[in-house]
Amino acid sequence: MDEILTRRLRLRRAQPSDLDALHAVLSHPTATRYWSTLPHATPGQTQAWLAAMIAAPSESSDDFVVELEGRVIGKAGFYRLPEIGFILHPDHWGRGLALEAASAVIARAFARFEAPELTADVDPRNQASLGLLTRLGFHETGRAERTFQLGDEWCDSVYLALKRPA
Ligand SMILES: CC(C)(COP(=O)(O)OP(=O)(O)OC[C@H]1O[C@@H](n2cnc3c(N)ncnc32)[C@H](O)[C@@H]1OP(=O)(O)O)[C@@H](O)C(=O)NCCC(=O)NCCS
């Protein structure tokens, strides 16, 4: 099953033709403010990112593009289990769409994989992501300083986890 339908969204595997829509997200300075890379400066950067997403092995990856009304607006899932990742274009923030997408990929990950918990690594300044993860039931497990460098800026991490439901 390579597709998940939720109330408003279709989550499906990425394909090469998603390049323009994903570049619109990954080149957006607001969307990528606390992302693991600087905003993509060229479609080539997004193409490499997309190729890695498409090629990721199904035993360790369960990642989806997020479609709203037939248009790709972001991604949600696990590029490498058990760590969750999500990003939506800011035009669609604040409508519960990330909650809808993340809830679906989490339920599927627990159903398909034996992971005892799912994890997240978030910049402590990323209030939207921390709020979403808290709403999903994740709890903080630790913090670390200067975990990755974006351009000239060192960023910190909050680590979170969601245990497999009993
Ligand atoms: C994080 C992100 C996916 C949230 O998307 P969204 O569709 O706006 O989120 P939702 O509308 O589904 O919100 C669900 C819950 O998340 C929390 N939340 C969302 N935005 C928030 C904000 N700006 N501040 C605090 N909490 C927020 C709230 O608890 C919200 O529930 P509520 O509306 O009932 O209060 C979006 O902001 C995004 O793409 N950010 C950039 C990418 C990113 O940083 N990804 C994570 C990297 S670790």
Side-chain angles (χ1 to χ4, degrees):
M1 185 183 67
D2 285 340
E3 181 177 272
I4 310 175
L5 296 177
T6 68
R7 189 166 68 82
R8 292 172 290 179
L9 302 172
R10 175 177 181 229
L11 311 187
R12 61 159 176 80
R13 298 298 184 212
Q15 52 199 38
S17 57
D18 296 325
L19 176 60
D20 289 350
L22 288 172
H23 185 62
V25 179
L26 291 167
S27 62
H28 198 294
T30 307
T32 53
R33 176 64 186 91
Y34 303 116
W35 192 240
S36 48
T37 62
L38 293 172
H40 288 186
T42 64
Q45 262 179 287
T46 308
Q47 197 167 27
W49 182 92
L50 177 59
M53 185 175 174
I54 293 170
S58 60
E59 314 83 67
S60 58
S61 181
D62 201 27
D63 219 353
F64 298 87
V65 294
V66 177
E67 263 187 21
L68 174 70
E69 293 162 1
R71 291 175 53 210
V72 171
I73 61 164
K75 83 120 211 169
F78 303 85
Y79 174 63
R80 189 180 299 116
L81 282 142
E83 186 174 324
I84 194 166
F86 38 74
I87 185 166
L88 297 185
H89 193 286
D91 284 355
H92 304 284
W93 288 4
R95 297 169 53 196
L97 295 173
L99 183 65
E100 195 170 314
S103 301
V105 298
I106 288 168
R108 178 187 150 105
F110 278 131
R112 273 195 69 202
F113 299 94
E114 290 182 355
E117 63 178 20
L118 303 174
T119 63
D121 176 347
V122 184
D123 188 303
R125 299 168 295 180
N126 190 348
Q127 286 304 319
S129 188
L130 289 170
L132 171 62
L133 289 161
T134 302
R135 179 81 194 274
L136 288 163
F138 281 72
H139 63 276
E140 185 175 331
T141 56
R143 286 185 182 234
E145 292 185 353
R146 294 169 69 83
T147 45
F148 59 104
Q149 191 176 15
L150 282 182
D152 294 336
E153 182 185 38
W154 276 97
C155 301
D156 301 339
S157 287
V158 181
Y159 301 113
L160 303 104
L162 175 69
K163 293 219 176 305
R164 171 179 287 279

